[in-house]
Amino acid sequence: MIVATYNIQNIFYRDRVLIKKYREENRELWIKEFETLMLKRMRTNEEFNRMRALSQLLGFEDSQHSPYFTMIHKMGQLFLKKEVAVNTHRATHLTDWNGWVKLNSNPINDIAIENKGKIIKEASADILILLEVEDRTSLLEFNKYFLSHAYTHMLYLETNDIYGRGIGVLTKEGYEVKSMKSHVNDFDDDGNPIFDMDLQEYKISTPNGTLVTVLSTCFLEDTQNPAQSNTKIEIQSKRIAEVYQTLNVSNSLIAVVGTLNVPSYSKLLSSIIGETDLRDVSKHHTFEVDLDKGKDSRYFRLGAYKMGVNIKQRDYLMLSTRLFKAVKNSGLIRKGIWFKKRPQWEMLKSIKNETHMASEHPLVWSQLKIG
């Protein structure tokens, strides 16, 4: 059985605010690169293509906008969807698209969507948790056109996120979600929701009848108010530990997965990592991932996954003692991430610039032998 978690950062559409935030974080680097290319007297075709990509990223042009939209007014808000050809024979994410999207969302680059599918297909997980999904319709269309109906069961729940990002669980034939529970209505002492998005519980039966429990969550970063963000993360971590301890009776089979946005050594995660028996799969001796190229292959960055894998750890797959002992193989797939300068690693050949990136997050997986 393979379990995987992937922060897909939306499938077809993403809120403009989130795109703007990403652009602001990288704007200075892009301007510097664009100016360097502008000052060159002779440029290669590859450099001209890079300038076109940078002009789009910097807002000089915006190829994300499509002139073919249908609009609808619903409950006081405007929504849109892309028009599709009626008699098209080529399966794309636009074929038979029925999902409506708020007008403040931007369509994700077509190549990026295809790359999301490639990463998921490579993992071939039996149980897949997808974070930051815009809606159930997107999940169904994505499975149909980009995953070749690989998953027979798909569930989606909305969360507390103001940008409409939810969590989806997909399982292959023989793996069935028996029950599902949301913690969106867990409140702190001041009456505020504990979770930025949610903590969701799934009890999933395997083909041999074994029951596995998966807890999924996603913490959000607030770079404007880091102190407030840290407090929120600590509160969420404590609540996850409480729920986990309640479920972990008689040496249960439990996985806690998701994006926590802080490194494993952080005291903010001490309630989960340290005060419970949960073990991070990246610390397992089987954990494999393509190493960085050049000097970075011999370097260890504090807070990274391991030596030679120098990206900040934000995504976790943590296992109870019994599940950790059942690990046969494990690893991380990051070839869908665009690197800026250093470190560098193997990317999908279809990624030519940032807009083609599948996600800013890697997919983390583990193969388990249970039953």
Side-chain angles (χ1 to χ4, degrees), residues 225-241:
N225 300 289
Q228 182 178 334
S229 180
N230 290 344
T231 301
K232 185 76 171 178
I233 289 174
E234 192 167 13
I235 293 172
Q236 291 177 100
S237 299
K238 288 180 179 178
R239 181 57 182 144
I240 291 173

Side-chain angles (χ1 to χ4, degrees), residues 274-341:
E275 296 177 20
T276 72
D277 69 330
L278 283 166
R279 302 277 302 278
D280 181 3
V281 77
S282 69
K283 304 301 187 285
H284 197 276
H285 67 89
T286 63
F287 192 76
E288 60 183 45
V289 56
D290 290 332
L291 298 180
D292 298 332
K293 298 177 180 179
K295 295 179 180 179
D296 291 313
S297 63
R298 300 185 297 276
Y299 176 71
F300 178 77
R301 177 181 298 166
L302 187 64
Y305 282 91
K306 60 187 293 186
M307 181 177 289
V309 187
N310 291 296
I311 55 172
K312 177 184 175 183
Q313 183 171 9
R314 297 189 290 170
D315 302 281
Y316 291 81
L317 199 168
M318 297 174 285
L319 305 172
S320 61
T321 298
R322 190 174 165 199
L323 268 187
F324 196 81
K325 291 179 179 177
V327 174
K328 284 185 64 181
N329 291 296
S330 59
L332 175 147
I333 302 174
R334 57 174 174 162
K335 60 179 65 176
I337 304 175
W338 167 269
F339 55 78
K340 299 177 180 69
K341 288 189 175 180

Side-chain angles (χ1 to χ4, degrees), residues 1-48:
M1 175 183 78
I2 298 177
V3 178
T5 179
Y6 189 33
N7 189 327
I8 200 167
Q9 293 191 303
N10 294 113
I11 300 174
F12 298 121
Y13 292 86
R14 190 160 177 83
D15 194 284
R16 287 176 182 268
V17 173
L18 301 172
I19 295 172
K20 182 180 178 182
K21 180 182 176 183
Y22 172 74
R23 287 179 173 176
E24 287 174 348
E25 289 172 351
N26 294 279
R27 188 174 182 83
E28 186 177 337
L29 183 66
W30 292 336
I31 290 174
K32 185 177 180 181
E33 185 180 356
F34 190 83
E35 289 177 344
T36 301
L37 291 171
M38 281 286 291
L39 292 171
K40 293 187 71 171
R41 295 184 64 182
M42 299 291 291
R43 306 181 193 94
T44 64
N45 287 334
E46 185 177 342
E47 288 171 333
F48 274 116

Side-chain angles (χ1 to χ4, degrees), residues 134-335:
E134 58 265 34
D135 53 48
R136 176 172 168 78
T137 303
S138 296
L139 210 56
L140 294 171
E141 296 290 316
F142 187 60
N143 181 57
K144 179 179 180 181
Y145 293 113
F146 292 90
L147 302 180
S148 305
H149 294 284
Y151 293 93
T152 55
H153 298 91
M154 282 166 289
L155 294 171
Y156 170 86
L157 280 181
E158 292 184 348
T159 68
N160 292 319
D161 181 54
I162 61 173
Y163 301 115
R165 293 169 293 181
I167 302 175
V169 54
L170 296 79
T171 60
K172 288 187 175 179
E173 187 175 356
Y175 296 84
E176 185 177 349
V177 179
K178 293 296 185 181
S179 67
M180 194 173 185
K181 181 179 179 180
S182 168
H183 287 268
V184 289
N185 291 319
D186 286 8
F187 300 103
D188 61 21
D189 295 336
D190 297 322
N192 300 313
I194 288 177
F195 293 101
D196 294 324
M197 291 184 70
D198 194 5
L199 173 67
Q200 297 180 2
E201 301 177 27
Y202 323 111
K203 292 191 182 298
I204 304 171
S205 64
T206 66
N208 61 22
T210 304
L211 202 63
V212 176
T213 300
V214 179
L215 302 178
S216 67
T217 192
C218 185
F219 299 168
L220 303 182
E221 281 185 306
D222 187 350
T223 54
Q224 301 298 319
N225 300 289
Q228 182 178 334
S229 180
N230 290 344
T231 301
K232 185 76 171 178
I233 289 174
E234 192 167 13
I235 293 172
Q236 291 177 100
S237 299
K238 288 180 179 178
R239 181 57 182 144
I240 291 173
E242 290 171 358
V243 173
Y244 172 75
Q245 297 287 33
T246 302
L247 294 170
N248 191 26
V249 293
S250 303
N251 200 17
S252 302
L253 300 168
I254 305 176
V256 178
V257 308
T259 300
L260 305 184
N261 275 321
V262 285
S264 58
Y265 64 79
S266 172
K267 68 175 183 178
L268 302 176
L269 300 182
S270 61
S271 297
I272 306 174
I273 303 175
E275 296 177 20
T276 72
D277 69 330
L278 283 166
R279 302 277 302 278
D280 181 3
V281 77
S282 69
K283 304 301 187 285
H284 197 276
H285 67 89
T286 63
F287 192 76
E288 60 183 45
V289 56
D290 290 332
L291 298 180
D292 298 332
K293 298 177 180 179
K295 295 179 180 179
D296 291 313
S297 63
R298 300 185 297 276
Y299 176 71
F300 178 77
R301 177 181 298 166
L302 187 64
Y305 282 91
K306 60 187 293 186
M307 181 177 289
V309 187
N310 291 296
I311 55 172
K312 177 184 175 183
Q313 183 171 9
R314 297 189 290 170
D315 302 281
Y316 291 81
L317 199 168
M318 297 174 285
L319 305 172
S320 61
T321 298
R322 190 174 165 199
L323 268 187
F324 196 81
K325 291 179 179 177
V327 174
K328 284 185 64 181
N329 291 296
S330 59
L332 175 147
I333 302 174
R334 57 174 174 162
K335 60 179 65 176

